[in-house]
């Protein structure tokens, strides 16, 4: 299994838009084959931080997700409005 924690740092002026895009990404990604879990969280202590937490069954499933239309469309939209940092864990 592969776990990705994607930290999103976003200013107040773009937070609502980034959260909406992230929620769209979550809804589409949950339908991807091999997706075990996919969710977006808002920090309770830092209003400028969101996190997408995703779990994949294997590298092949993650590769297909990364090549999907929804990923290639929505992630660049988030990147234009916010800073993203990725942590990857395999277990």
């Amino acid at each position: 299994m592969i776990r990705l924690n994607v930290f999103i740092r976003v200013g107040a002026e773009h937070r609502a838009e980034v959260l909406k895009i992230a929620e769209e990404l979550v809804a589409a990604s949950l339908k991807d084959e091999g997706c075990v879990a996919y969710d977006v969280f808002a920090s309770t202590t830092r209003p400028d931080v969101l996190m997408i937490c995703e779990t994949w069954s294997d590298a092949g499933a993650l590769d297909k997700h990364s090549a999907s239309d929804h990923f290639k469309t929505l992630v660049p939209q988030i990147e234009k409005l916010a800073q993203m940092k990725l942590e990857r864990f395999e277990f």
Side-chain angles (χ1 to χ4, degrees):
M1 293 244 226
I2 300 169
R3 161 68 55 89
L4 300 180
N5 293 329
V6 183
F7 295 92
I8 303 168
R9 189 167 181 193
V10 60
E13 69 278 10
H14 297 299
R15 188 180 187 281
E17 184 177 0
V18 167
L19 186 55
K20 181 180 176 187
I21 297 165
E23 289 171 347
E24 187 178 342
L25 180 62
V26 167
S29 300
L30 284 169
K31 298 174 187 173
D32 289 346
E33 184 177 339
C35 180
V36 176
Y38 207 106
D39 208 342
V40 62
F41 300 95
S43 173
T44 59
T45 58
R46 297 208 28 213
D48 64 328
V49 175
L50 303 171
M51 183 178 83
I52 295 175
C53 183
E54 42 188 292
T55 306
W56 296 94
S57 60
D58 55 47
L62 178 55
D63 289 344
K64 287 180 184 175
H65 166 67
S66 298
S68 70
D69 288 341
H70 56 271
F71 182 91
K72 293 191 300 186
T73 300
L74 298 172
V75 171
Q77 291 178 26
I78 294 172
E79 290 175 324
K80 287 180 183 176
L81 301 170
Q83 297 173 346
M84 298 176 76
K85 177 185 172 193
L86 173 72
E87 292 179 344
R88 179 182 172 133
F89 306 93
E90 295 192 34
F91 56 99

